[in-house]
Amino acid sequence: MRFWHFWLNSLFLSSQHEPAHFIEFVMLVLTILLLGIWGVTQELPYMLLCLSYAIGAAISMLVREAIAPSPQARISRLIALLLLVISLYGFVDFL
């Protein structure tokens, strides 16, 4: 029980301290979950929603780094651009 209490407090603290990181984390977790569901069901709406979350997280990362650069800004921008390119390729592939 203490483990869950500690985990929940850490979650609340991180959401208050770095809200942009927290939202990006939630979006990327939902992306991974929807990708797993799509892998099982092979239904198009799951994949499109997964790609939408990935694009949203990538754009949020790029905007956050443009407003307030962090020490690892170069790596963060590279990962965001890679995620954005892969997601946009996925959308074009479905059209």
Side-chain angles (χ1 to χ4, degrees):
M1 186 67 166
R2 285 186 181 184
F3 173 74
W4 293 111
H5 184 66
F6 173 75
W7 185 81
L8 190 60
N9 283 339
S10 298
L11 187 66
F12 286 137
L13 183 62
S14 69
S15 69
Q16 291 173 355
H17 182 63
E18 295 277 347
H21 285 225
F22 180 72
I23 295 299
E24 291 164 6
F25 173 74
V26 169
M27 290 175 76
L28 290 174
V29 166
L30 287 173
T31 300
I32 293 169
L33 289 174
L34 287 169
L35 188 62
I37 292 172
W38 175 77
V40 173
T41 63
Q42 295 292 319
E43 293 185 20
L44 186 62
Y46 291 114
M47 181 54 109
L48 293 177
L49 189 56
C50 168
L51 293 172
S52 297
Y53 277 133
I55 289 172
I59 290 174
S60 175
M61 290 166 72
L62 289 172
V63 168
R64 179 179 41 85
E65 289 298 331
I67 292 172
S70 63
Q72 65 271 13
R74 189 176 204 179
I75 295 171
S76 182
R77 287 180 186 149
L78 179 67
I79 291 171
L81 286 174
L82 183 64
L83 184 62
L84 191 60
V85 167
I86 291 172
S87 298
L88 289 174
Y89 176 75
F91 265 122
V92 171
D93 190 39
F94 280 117
L95 297 177

